[in-house]
Amino acid sequence: MELLSDRYNHQEAEARNYRWWEEQGFFKADDRSTKPPYCIILPPPNVTGSLHLGHALDQSIQDCLIRWKRMNGFNTLWQPGTDHAGISTQTVVEKELKKEKLTRQGIGREKFLQRTWEWKRLNGDRITLQMRRLGASCDWDRAVFTLDDRVSAAVRKVFVSLFRKGWIYRGQRLVNWSGPLQTAISDLEVEYKQVKGSLWHIRYPLENGRGHLIVATTRPETLLGDTAVCVHPQDERYKQWVGQNVILPLLTKSVPSAPPQKRKIPIIADSYVDMKFGSGVVKITPAHDFNDYKIGKKHNLPFINILDTNTFLNEHAGPYAGLSVTEARKKVLEDLKAQDLLEKEEPHVLNVGHCSRSGAVVEPFLSEQWFVKMDQLAVPAQRVVESGTINIDPESWTKVYLHWMSIIEDWCISRQLWWGHRIPAWYCKDCQQITVAEKDPTSCEHCGSGNLTQDEDVLDTWFSSALWPFSTLGWPEETEALKTFYPTNVLVTGNDILFFWVARMVMMGLEFKRDVPFRQVLLHGMIRDSQGRKMSKSLGNGIDPLDLIEKYGADALRLTFLAHVHAGKDYKFSEQRLEGYRNFMNKIWNATRFALNALQDFQVPEAGVQALPNRAQISSYDQWIIYRLAQAEDRVEEALEEFRFADAAGELYSFVWYEFCDWYIEFSKSVFSSPPSEERSASQLTMAQVLNRIVRLLHPFVPFITEEIYSKLPIKNKACIVDEYPNIRTDRAFLALGQEAAAVEVDLVKGIVSAIRNIRGENRIPPAARINVRIVPSDEHAQKIIGEHRAVMMALGRVDTFEIGEDEGSLSKCALSLVNVQVGAFGTSTVGDGGQVAAGGISGQSSVRVIVPLQGLVDIDEEIKRIHKTIEKLDKDIAILVGRLSNENFVKNAAEEIVHGDRQQLEQAKKQVQDLRESLTRLQS
RNA sequence: GCGAACGUAGCUCAGCGGUAGAGCACUGCCUUCACACGGCAGGGGUCACAGGUUCAAUCCCUGUCGUUCGCACCA
């Protein structure tokens, strides 16, 4: 049999196994299969991106699910793809051009798009190659790009359909405008940040010359676009002025070839104004503020746009034209001050919208844009979540989703970019009408003119993303893939794109497929650094997952995430924890090394994985570990069903490390080093089968090391990745060999060994020192068990002579520990000195006194201290129990088994204290 | 401003009506024939605070303080 190398070389094994998986076609899904389908759509990473920890977390979860379902016999499809990421990609290419002293406008649209495609051809695969390093088992042959012809066809069909329905429209609106990018962005792409600013109080002279109104503003430069001032209709201070005019400071009316004239703007009244804020007078700038826009519409005010597309002031700003917003603000304030129109300046904290892409301050900007009407689309999307057709996990996000849906505004989908799906709308130069069509039209559908020009803008990248669950599967064609895999099963993504993406997929899926795109949404949090800060380039605290994979292995990284994802919470990443899981990989590797060594002369049975050891020949340890394996399989399955990855991973971690390695392997050493026998062979078979299951159970979490180990196991099927995932139903025959009685037995053995070790440890008896132990069992059952396991206990406790008997003799100079085992209370660990907790208080119990003569070994004072400590602990317990049980109401009202359990515990504790006191007096005698 | 989540061991987090758990870190002992990326043993918490419900509250309710997130936004 092939043995394992001393060290697991993850770099080599990961590359080799991944290549093999791909060559074998294990990731491929089947469009026509009798197996049940299971599909996850990968949130398409940006082609410009490189793998970051957020992806790694997201994809670890998805791959774990896919691998788990694949092993469970599902026809799994993990559908990969990449996103053209309009703004990012365009920015990247523009930066390249800049190095060559070129601009996008300079080379023109066509050349620019060529350049961008070229860039995509060269760099677009980077992130998917990086995903492979993580072990992602996507069906790569199906990889889709959002600008592929097929997807573009879907986009056009959706656009045309919504347009015909009147749900897509074009209009002049106030939109969020990014100056550096020179494009509109959607509400969602605006991030509000608190900024320390000022509230300036400005005097607006009354037209009638009888003084002035004071207007408070945080943006004095927008004064240049004011077309009214507004007060509350009930405001006694200003009622008299409503309907009259004020003179707009600074600006003169720009009438060509006419003498400068002061601009008059009306004083209007609207209950929108808060009388208590500022001066109670608000300036209205309808073209540069969302609230003012509404007032402007309502009161039919003129809209004066004072900005250019680069957000510098335009000709309407008169002498301020050409200045940036910041410069204009400064100048306006200076000028106001010079004219004594500035009443005062107060510090003021305000929320300012920033462009999530460029970081620039977003300007409300009046322009022609395309919008998707949201009201009708939102209704069904709201309903499917309310009704539970789509389940959102964690549940608290359901409310967030529903709230957003209820206040949703129309979606601005046009972007003044070149890289993306160009809007399929053509303007007729002759009749000025719009033709919207799936295929490029040659003539105007209104007047037949061929004088058409296509809209210059492209669609918001999220528009194509919204179609992703069905466009990737072939829609609008009724493909087999679509029939098989739509609706998909689970959508896994960060909670930051719930609105951007998840909500819109739900709307589009319902509209165009008449069914939800997925039934389950699994949201996780964001990755943060160890101090809880966002990882970002500017902070320089980003960690490259590829560096971590290189250093610790992909498996360790995956497990770090999976062992720690909890219900949508942000994840503070720490390399130290990763190191811990790397150590676990090492542990698994070495445990396998031990096992393979112990199985060198093992005869591999014909039946392979189905081979069962003879029940009569396997040891209690074997029966116990199988019993625990069954429990682990059960718990892991239940946890995965409920997406509790951390619980599943935790169960496997502790089962493998603390039961299999710490105890089972130790127990087994004596059998395996003994001469061949039927018992030894049976134990070898058990070891081989249990290890086989452990490896398969771990596979979805840590695929590389498990595949590597699996190939070396004596008992195995072809490949771990496609082997069956063990669960208590499919694995019933083997698990039936596990015995609860054996578990109790082993618990007692563990308890005694721990008690001996505890005495050793606390008394600082060096491991080399010989000790003698006397065990006094409380009953025959315990006595029998102890007799059978005597050799193992001696080995693990490093005991020289080991006596079992009723006669305690003299306890003089002896250490004493008490071990209790509750029969029928499996699962609780047995601890020396009575740490045992009754589970339900049913069944009986065995107790054992462990006596270690200390004469000549140590200073007896240490042992006295140890016993005092134990008694103190027990006394505290007793006090609590007595207090409780002497409370009539407790006895009367509490559940029967609680009261009974307490009584039992009290009795036991009292007995233990008595024993310990007795031994204390003898120890001191 | 509205809504939500969270405040538990030094750190990161589980638990959520019956006497506090894990990992890492820490202390002591040990190079025992799978593993020092290891073994064994151990120390450490009035479960933010104040009330209430209950026989019983870290867990349920109310309030306070603190942290974070989402939404809205007042010029």
Side-chain angles (χ1 to χ4, degrees):
Chain A
M1 190 186 311
E2 194 185 349
L3 294 179
L4 295 186
S5 59
D6 287 359
R7 268 267 136 100
Y8 171 56
N9 178 350
H10 64 260
Q11 285 103 337
E12 187 274 329
E14 288 176 2
R16 175 164 39 76
N17 279 299
Y18 198 89
R19 212 180 311 125
W20 183 67
W21 286 330
E22 270 205 286
E23 281 162 12
Q24 297 291 310
F26 290 140
F27 304 160
K28 286 192 166 86
D30 189 350
D31 284 345
R32 304 162 194 263
S33 166
T34 51
K35 293 183 191 172
Y38 188 87
C39 180
I40 295 178
I41 303 281
L42 172 78
N46 292 356
V47 275
T48 51
S50 60
L51 199 75
H52 58 66
L53 286 179
H55 294 122
L57 164 68
D58 188 58
Q59 293 162 10
S60 294
I61 295 171
Q62 291 172 58
D63 197 48
C64 181
L65 284 172
I66 283 285
R67 286 177 185 270
W68 174 54
K69 288 291 179 181
R70 186 184 292 122
M71 290 177 77
N72 270 303
F74 283 80
N75 174 24
T76 50
L77 170 60
W78 189 7
Q79 170 67 52
T82 45
D83 195 299
H84 65 279
I87 292 171
S88 314
T89 313
Q90 182 160 319
T91 308
V92 167
V93 177
E94 279 187 290
K95 267 188 195 147
E96 276 194 359
L97 288 176
K98 204 174 171 187
K99 281 183 205 152
E100 301 164 34
K101 302 218 179 335
L102 296 171
T103 63
R104 138 169 96 98
Q105 291 80 2
I107 64 172
R109 185 167 194 140
E110 202 159 319
K111 272 245 170 63
F112 179 77
L113 288 179
Q114 268 172 22
R115 273 293 289 245
T116 312
W117 275 106
E118 180 64 10
W119 185 92
K120 192 259 171 189
R121 197 179 62 78
L122 293 171
N123 304 289
D125 283 340
R126 181 166 68 148
I127 194 153
T128 61
L129 292 173
Q130 292 174 326
M131 281 180 67
R132 287 167 164 93
R133 294 285 307 277
L134 190 69
S137 60
C138 297
D139 188 347
W140 295 111
D141 295 346
R142 297 179 188 239
V144 180
F145 180 53
T146 45
L147 292 180
D148 284 351
D149 290 345
R150 224 175 65 203
V151 179
S152 298
V155 166
R156 281 214 176 174
K157 191 178 173 77
V158 165
F159 188 96
V160 172
S161 164
L162 291 176
F163 179 80
R164 297 253 148 88
K165 269 186 133 163
W167 293 3
I168 281 184
Y169 62 90
R170 187 167 188 259
Q172 199 190 49
R173 290 287 195 84
L174 203 56
V175 295
N176 300 293
W177 191 268
S178 172
L181 302 173
Q182 303 220 26
T183 179
I185 55 177
S186 75
D187 298 348
L188 286 175
E189 285 161 309
V190 180
E191 283 171 357
Y192 287 90
K193 292 182 201 160
Q194 284 214 330
V195 172
K196 278 183 197 154
S198 295
L199 190 60
W200 286 279
H201 295 248
I202 301 168
R203 300 191 186 110
Y204 280 51
L206 286 158
E207 189 191 16
N208 60 19
R210 291 165 61 186
H212 54 256
L213 292 181
I214 292 172
V215 172
T217 180
T218 53
R219 300 199 53 190
E221 72 284 2
T222 60
L223 168 158
L224 305 170
D226 283 358
T227 54
V229 294
C230 188
V231 298
H232 194 278
Q234 252 88 63
D235 197 330
E236 295 299 335
R237 291 171 295 179
Y238 306 115
K239 253 182 170 171
Q240 50 179 319
W241 305 120
V242 174
Q244 302 193 30
N245 294 321
V246 289
I247 307 290
L248 186 68
L250 307 185
L251 266 197
T252 50
K253 211 172 191 175
S254 55
V255 181
S257 66
Q261 238 185 320
K262 291 281 182 193
R263 192 198 285 169
K264 291 184 288 184
I265 57 174
I267 300 164
I268 61 171
D270 196 291
S271 55
Y272 147 78
V273 176
D274 179 354
M275 290 186 272
K276 290 190 284 291
F277 188 89
S279 61
V281 186
V282 186
K283 60 196 261 326
I284 302 295
T285 323
H288 295 285
D289 181 281
F290 288 98
N291 288 306
D292 294 4
Y293 179 83
K294 280 180 203 152
I295 302 279
K297 283 277 177 199
K298 190 169 157 192
H299 294 268
N300 266 320
L301 298 174
F303 287 67
I304 302 176
N305 182 3
I306 59 166
L307 294 179
D308 266 330
T309 57
N310 58 6
T311 66
F312 280 63
L313 277 75
N314 66 14
E315 69 279 9
H316 293 127
Y320 304 94
L323 298 179
S324 74
V325 169
T326 327
E327 290 162 349
R329 178 175 304 174
K330 211 174 136 202
K331 186 98 196 312
V332 163
L333 287 168
E334 274 169 18
D335 293 349
L336 286 169
K337 215 170 200 170
Q339 297 181 31
D340 196 29
L341 291 173
L342 196 57
E343 175 90 7
K344 62 173 169 177
E345 176 184 345
E346 294 173 331
H348 185 71
V349 176
L350 66 160
N351 281 323
V352 178
H354 292 75
C355 169
S356 61
R357 286 281 159 198
S358 66
V361 171
V362 164
E363 293 295 337
F365 187 76
L366 202 57
S367 60
E368 284 278 330
Q369 302 290 345
W370 289 88
F371 296 87
V372 180
K373 263 177 88 166
M374 279 293 138
D375 42 10
Q376 280 109 321
L377 283 169
V379 171
Q382 201 165 353
R383 209 177 42 229
V384 290
V385 169
E386 273 165 354
S387 67
T389 310
I390 291 179
N391 184 264
I392 300 178
D393 183 9
E395 201 256 330
S396 58
W397 285 95
T398 304
K399 268 185 236 165
V400 178
Y401 173 98
L402 291 174
H403 177 246
W404 187 72
M405 278 293 179
S406 69
I407 57 161
I408 196 165
E409 302 255 0
D410 289 355
W411 173 18
C412 175
I413 50 168
S414 44
R415 296 290 180 275
Q416 288 64 54
L417 308 172
W418 288 349
W419 178 242
H421 297 102
R422 193 160 170 183
I423 289 175
W426 285 261
Y427 304 101
C428 175
K429 285 201 176 127
D430 295 328
C431 73
Q432 316 303 324
Q433 301 258 56
I434 299 176
T435 300
V436 168
E438 279 182 52
K439 295 235 164 69
D440 291 13
T442 49
S443 61
C444 172
E445 67 182 12
H446 305 282
C447 70
S449 157
N451 204 356
L452 296 174
T453 47
Q454 186 172 2
D455 194 297
E456 292 292 322
D457 293 348
V458 299
L459 288 166
D460 181 4
T461 304
W462 293 105
F463 191 88
S464 48
S465 309
L467 321 179
W468 207 232
F470 48 90
S471 64
T472 50
L473 296 174
W475 190 88
E477 306 290 318
E478 258 305 308
T479 58
E480 288 300 319
L482 195 60
K483 280 186 222 161
T484 303
F485 294 110
Y486 194 95
T488 68
N489 295 75
V490 185
L491 180 87
V492 180
T493 193
N495 56 33
D496 56 333
I497 54 175
L498 178 66
F499 307 140
F500 275 109
W501 193 42
V502 180
R504 287 162 179 169
M505 282 192 286
V506 176
M507 292 189 238
M508 293 303 191
L510 288 169
E511 173 65 18
F512 291 96
K513 281 294 297 167
R514 298 283 147 210
D515 199 352
V516 294
F518 31 74
R519 310 210 182 280
Q520 177 72 42
V521 177
L522 208 54
L523 297 172
H524 57 254
M526 304 293 104
I527 302 265
R528 293 171 177 277
D529 71 5
S530 56
Q531 290 154 59
R533 299 175 307 180
K534 265 186 185 155
M535 291 211 176
S536 69
K537 277 179 198 156
S538 55
L539 275 173
N541 60 349
I543 302 172
D544 187 346
L546 295 174
D547 291 344
L548 298 175
I549 289 172
E550 192 63 25
K551 193 167 166 199
Y552 299 98
D555 289 330
L557 182 63
R558 292 167 60 115
L559 191 56
T560 305
F561 290 131
L562 290 167
H564 204 256
V565 225
H566 276 105
K569 282 181 188 165
D570 283 356
Y571 182 118
K572 281 184 202 163
F573 187 83
S574 109
E575 196 165 329
Q576 216 173 39
R577 196 173 303 130
L578 175 58
E579 208 178 305
Y581 288 104
R582 188 272 318 268
N583 295 352
F584 181 53
M585 297 300 101
N586 183 248
K587 190 76 182 173
I588 296 167
W589 184 258
N590 280 297
T592 311
R593 240 160 41 95
F594 168 82
L596 293 186
N597 200 41
L599 295 175
Q600 276 194 81
D601 61 340
F602 173 59
Q603 299 298 312
V604 182
E606 287 274 313
V609 177
Q610 309 301 327
L612 300 178
N614 187 323
R615 184 188 289 270
Q617 286 168 352
I618 59 172
S619 68
S620 314
Y621 312 117
D622 295 327
Q623 294 176 16
W624 162 72
I625 199 68
I626 296 170
Y627 187 83
R628 279 291 291 119
L629 173 68
Q631 215 169 28
E633 288 186 11
D634 195 31
R635 289 178 184 166
V636 167
E637 181 177 43
E638 199 182 291
L640 286 177
E641 291 288 358
E642 293 166 14
F643 307 110
R644 288 182 286 112
F645 300 96
D647 290 345
E651 175 64 23
L652 287 170
Y653 185 94
S654 50
F655 172 66
V656 171
W657 200 316
Y658 305 130
E659 314 252 21
F660 183 74
C661 292
D662 286 354
W663 290 102
Y664 182 67
I665 285 183
E666 295 305 322
F667 286 144
S668 309
K669 281 179 178 171
S670 67
V671 200
F672 290 146
S673 59
S674 65
S677 65
E678 289 195 338
E679 283 73 20
R680 184 168 172 273
S681 303
S683 285
Q684 282 181 320
L685 179 52
T686 304
M687 170 64 93
Q689 294 291 30
V690 170
L691 185 58
N692 168 288
R693 267 95 180 151
I694 285 175
V695 172
R696 281 189 278 149
L697 283 168
L698 285 167
H699 182 80
F701 302 85
V702 289
F704 292 111
I705 195 172
T706 48
E707 191 68 83
E708 182 68 10
I709 289 174
Y710 205 71
S711 68
K712 310 276 168 56
L713 294 184
I715 289 179
K716 64 190 171 212
N717 288 325
K718 191 176 143 218
C720 190
I721 182 175
V722 287
D723 204 347
E724 189 170 59
Y725 201 72
N727 68 51
I728 54 168
R729 292 175 307 283
T730 55
D731 207 13
R732 193 182 295 149
F734 179 66
L735 297 181
L737 293 164
Q739 293 294 315
E740 186 177 1
V744 174
E745 213 175 307
V746 171
D747 265 1
L748 182 60
V749 173
K750 282 165 69 179
I752 292 170
V753 171
S754 293
I756 296 168
R757 285 170 170 174
N758 176 262
I759 290 169
R760 286 196 93 111
E762 295 259 39
N763 286 294
R764 308 228 167 76
I765 301 172
R770 303 152 64 101
I771 60 166
N772 304 316
V773 175
R774 181 173 194 86
I775 305 287
V776 185
S778 67
D779 55 66
E780 278 179 30
H781 179 63
Q783 174 148 11
K784 189 166 160 280
I785 293 172
I786 294 159
E788 282 164 8
H789 297 278
R790 181 195 165 99
V792 162
M793 289 190 282
M794 285 177 74
L796 298 189
R798 319 193 112 244
V799 173
D800 252 25
T801 65
F802 192 92
E803 290 176 81
I804 306 163
E806 289 167 28
D807 179 18
E808 292 174 27
S810 168
L811 281 174
S812 175
K813 312 286 187 238
C814 282
L816 174 78
S817 270
L818 305 149
V819 178
N820 298 289
V821 172
Q822 203 78 39
V823 180
F826 180 71
T828 54
S829 61
T830 312
V831 188
D833 290 326
Q836 183 64 37
V837 179
I842 37 152
S843 312
Q845 61 174 26
S846 288
S847 73
V848 169
R849 312 167 121 215
V850 177
I851 299 157
V852 180
L854 296 176
Q855 188 118 47
L857 280 171
V858 291
D859 182 3
I860 298 293
D861 289 348
E862 280 302 315
E863 177 60 10
I864 292 172
K865 256 161 61 188
R866 189 183 74 90
I867 293 183
H868 271 304
K869 201 172 72 184
T870 314
I871 291 176
E872 258 173 53
K873 215 188 280 173
L874 283 165
D875 278 345
K876 240 161 77 185
D877 291 351
I878 290 171
I880 291 167
L881 290 164
V882 167
R884 221 191 307 182
L885 285 165
S886 60
N887 180 347
E888 269 178 49
N889 288 322
F890 170 69
V891 180
K892 204 168 63 194
N893 294 320
E896 175 63 30
E897 65 262 31
I898 299 278
V899 178
H900 180 74
D902 276 9
R903 287 215 173 98
Q904 246 187 3
Q905 244 185 82
L906 179 61
E907 203 179 311
Q908 199 177 297
K910 276 180 173 166
K911 216 178 101 209
Q912 286 177 340
V913 171
Q914 203 184 337
D915 273 355
L916 289 166
R917 283 198 195 289
E918 200 182 319
S919 81
L920 208 50
T921 50
R922 293 194 190 171
L923 209 50
Q924 285 162 326
S925 67

